[in-house]
Amino acid sequence: MRLLSISSGKVMPLFGSHHPNYSSVASAIDKKSISNLDRPLVIEINKLGIVGDEQADLSVHGGLEKAIYVYPVEHYAFWNALLTRETKKQANLLPGSFGENFTVEGLLETEIFVGDRIQMGDLEFTVTKLREPCFKFNAKMKYKGAAKAMLQSGFSGWYLRVNQVGMIAAGEEIKVIPGERLTSIADQNKALFNRGNQKNLWD
């Protein structure tokens, strides 16, 4: 298990037609890799996440309990195929495309639980919850079914709280220290998708 990329972004207008009330809304979902295996720059992490990274709405992204968003690289093939098929345009997503701060390899939603601790070098994090996609994700992907597909597939990624701040670069190995292991990120994902079905959110 290792950290493949660290990504950061700034708040800017996000244009789309996937929500009835917004044609443009502020978002920092558009993240770019600032440290990767080809260019492993050392990046500072504080209690609020990557220094210099921004979030437009702290009620849903960012803050102490959602300081870092993690996404597995293993899901990129699924999304490239889905978006190419649904948008009729060739998709070749790059690290940070889902708004994630850490793109990781070798760790999936079925294997990580709320309360697990993650160590990368001198830094330590705690897994807090899954990522809940919204209309901004649809707009970013230019596909109105993206949020539903994220939850239906179980490929949501998860948030981390920062326990130990410091410096980190892409390529760092990941160590998981299990917590109580009562609820996996996959469990949270399935429950949220089922609630959405009950409320007809996906129709």
Side-chain angles (χ1 to χ4, degrees):
M1 298 180 290
R2 62 175 176 166
L3 175 62
L4 296 183
S5 175
I6 302 171
S7 298
S8 177
K10 300 294 185 182
V11 174
M12 60 184 63
L14 177 68
F15 294 91
S17 58
H18 306 299
H19 190 278
N21 300 322
Y22 297 95
S23 59
S24 173
V25 64
S27 175
I29 194 174
D30 190 22
K31 308 289 187 189
K32 304 298 182 186
S33 180
I34 56 175
S35 180
N36 49 64
L37 299 184
D38 292 330
R39 193 165 175 260
L41 298 180
V42 177
I43 305 299
E44 183 180 358
I45 307 294
N46 64 23
K47 286 289 188 177
L48 293 176
I50 296 170
V51 173
D53 188 41
E54 295 182 354
Q55 300 85 31
D57 184 353
L58 291 178
S59 69
V60 292
H61 300 287
L64 294 174
E65 293 300 293
K66 292 173 284 187
I68 298 285
Y69 174 39
V70 180
Y71 202 74
V73 73
E74 287 83 357
H75 302 332
Y76 269 67
F78 165 85
W79 286 105
N80 281 330
L82 175 68
L83 294 174
T84 297
R85 183 178 72 245
E86 296 297 331
T87 67
K88 306 298 189 272
K89 296 180 180 179
Q90 183 64 44
N92 185 24
L93 300 173
L94 300 174
S97 290
F98 300 94
E100 80 268 25
N101 301 114
F102 288 174
T103 308
V104 300
E105 179 182 59
L107 190 59
L108 302 176
E109 290 84 353
T110 53
E111 303 164 332
I112 198 75
F113 288 69
V114 175
D116 283 354
R117 286 181 292 148
I118 291 179
Q119 290 182 341
M120 301 184 198
D122 295 330
L123 278 67
E124 183 184 274
F125 310 87
T126 296
V127 177
T128 56
K129 64 172 295 182
L130 85 166
R131 183 261 187 88
E132 300 181 39
C134 65
F135 73 94
K136 294 182 182 181
F137 182 60
N138 291 342
K140 173 64 168 60
M141 295 291 107
K142 296 181 171 57
Y143 170 48
K144 66 180 180 180
K148 178 181 179 181
M150 174 171 273
L151 292 174
Q152 191 171 31
S153 65
F155 300 161
S156 65
W158 59 89
Y159 285 110
L160 300 176
R161 178 173 65 245
V162 180
N163 301 331
Q164 179 60 51
V165 303
M167 310 295 289
I168 193 171
E172 193 70 60
E173 291 188 4
I174 298 171
K175 179 181 179 182
V176 176
I177 302 173
E180 291 185 297
R181 309 228 114 188
L182 299 177
T183 306
S184 70
I185 295 299
D187 292 335
Q188 284 193 334
N189 206 316
K190 186 180 298 183
L192 184 59
F193 180 71
N194 289 338
R195 287 200 302 272
N197 276 340
Q198 293 169 4
K199 295 179 181 179
N200 299 316
L201 295 181
W202 313 124
D203 294 340

